[in-house]
């Protein structure tokens, strides 16, 4: 099962979190995950992916315009895939939640199945998606890893071929 991780990153925080998503997802047997910047998207891989994670920095309390532009202009068909999100921010309360909810709205419009694990697996909860302050403390990074592993596990179980 392929999992694509598409991110926008200018100063590498979101890129580092994207790499941790890959690490977490690949803990699940049979999962091949690949992270890719919006500037270098492997379209063939995304087309084959069952899950697409979208990672964004928080810009003025929401997701970045670069990510919005990529989603608005990409010709890749996202409908029917599971969509998950993660965001980085500089400050606690800096708007990452709204960035994620806005991104999730976009995924719904695209026809994706939005998924966050939520409170479904107990602590630590992932309310809307993973959040890191900059590239995250060790604890935040561990939550990212677990989030990705849980998504991979649950999608593998629930969305059989
Ligand atoms: C234009 C701009 C707006 C930003 N707005 C916010 C913000 O509203 N809240 C916040 O916590 N951080 C804000 N930041 C900080 C970034 O979200 C944060 O540094 C992020 O981790 C950068 O990701 P990157 O290193 O992947 O580019 C902003 C940064 C820029 C460049």
């Amino acid at each position: 099962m392929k999992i694509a991780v598409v991110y926008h990153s200018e100063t590498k925080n979101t890129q580092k979190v994207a790499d941790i998503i890959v690490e977490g997802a690949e803990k699940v047997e049979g999962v091949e995950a690949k992270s890719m910047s919006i500037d270098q998207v492997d379209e063939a891989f995304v087309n084959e992916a069952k899950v697409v994670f979208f990672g964004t920095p928080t810009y003025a309390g929401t997701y970045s315009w670069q990510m919005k532009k990529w989603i608005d202009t990409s010709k890749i068909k996202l409908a029917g895939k599971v969509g998950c999100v993660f965001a980085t921010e500089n400050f606690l309360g800096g708007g990452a939640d709204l960035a994620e909810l806005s991104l999730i709205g976009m995924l719904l419009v695209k026809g994706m199945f939005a998924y966050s694990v939520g409170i479904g697996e107990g602590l630590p909860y992932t309310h809307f998606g993973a959040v890191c302050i900059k590239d995250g403390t060790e604890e935040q990074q561990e939550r990212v890893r677990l989030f990705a592993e849980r998504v991979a596990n649950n999608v593998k179980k629930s969305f059989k071929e």
Side-chain angles (χ1 to χ4, degrees), residues 99-113:
E100 292 185 338
L101 280 169
S102 306
L103 251 184
I104 286 168
M106 179 65 80
L107 306 190
L108 293 176
V109 172
K110 292 285 179 185
M112 300 188 84
F113 295 92

Side-chain angles (χ1 to χ4, degrees), residues 19-159:
D19 291 340
I20 298 168
I21 294 272
V22 167
E23 248 178 72
E26 288 195 335
K27 285 188 170 187
V28 177
E29 208 190 313
V31 169
E32 182 193 353
K34 182 170 180 178
S35 80
M36 52 195 93
S37 158
I38 51 170
D39 302 322
Q40 282 185 313
V41 171
D42 179 342
E43 294 198 10
F45 192 94
V46 179
N47 276 326
E48 284 177 29
K50 195 161 274 184
V51 182
V52 185
F53 282 86
F54 296 86
T56 181
T58 304
Y59 279 3
T62 187
Y63 69 102
S64 70
W65 63 266
Q66 290 93 333
M67 178 55 93
K68 173 87 164 75
K69 183 178 173 194
W70 184 80
I71 293 173
D72 284 349
T73 55
S74 167
K75 300 276 183 281
I76 298 176
K77 183 173 170 272
L78 297 169
K81 299 180 187 298
V82 175
C84 303
V85 300
F86 58 98
T88 65
E89 62 185 353
N90 269 2
F91 312 102
L92 185 64
D97 279 1
L98 183 60
E100 292 185 338
L101 280 169
S102 306
L103 251 184
I104 286 168
M106 179 65 80
L107 306 190
L108 293 176
V109 172
K110 292 285 179 185
M112 300 188 84
F113 295 92
Y115 184 52
S116 75
V117 183
I119 61 169
E121 305 254 321
L123 292 167
Y125 302 145
T126 313
H127 288 80
F128 307 117
V131 174
C132 283
I133 310 251
K134 298 187 177 166
D135 61 346
T137 60
E138 254 178 52
E139 190 205 344
Q140 289 163 11
Q141 292 185 354
E142 190 45 42
R143 282 167 175 253
V144 173
R145 221 170 267 118
L146 190 59
F147 168 52
E149 184 181 356
R150 286 169 162 178
V151 168
N153 236 329
N154 293 342
V155 172
K156 192 179 151 189
K157 273 191 269 172
S158 306
F159 288 72

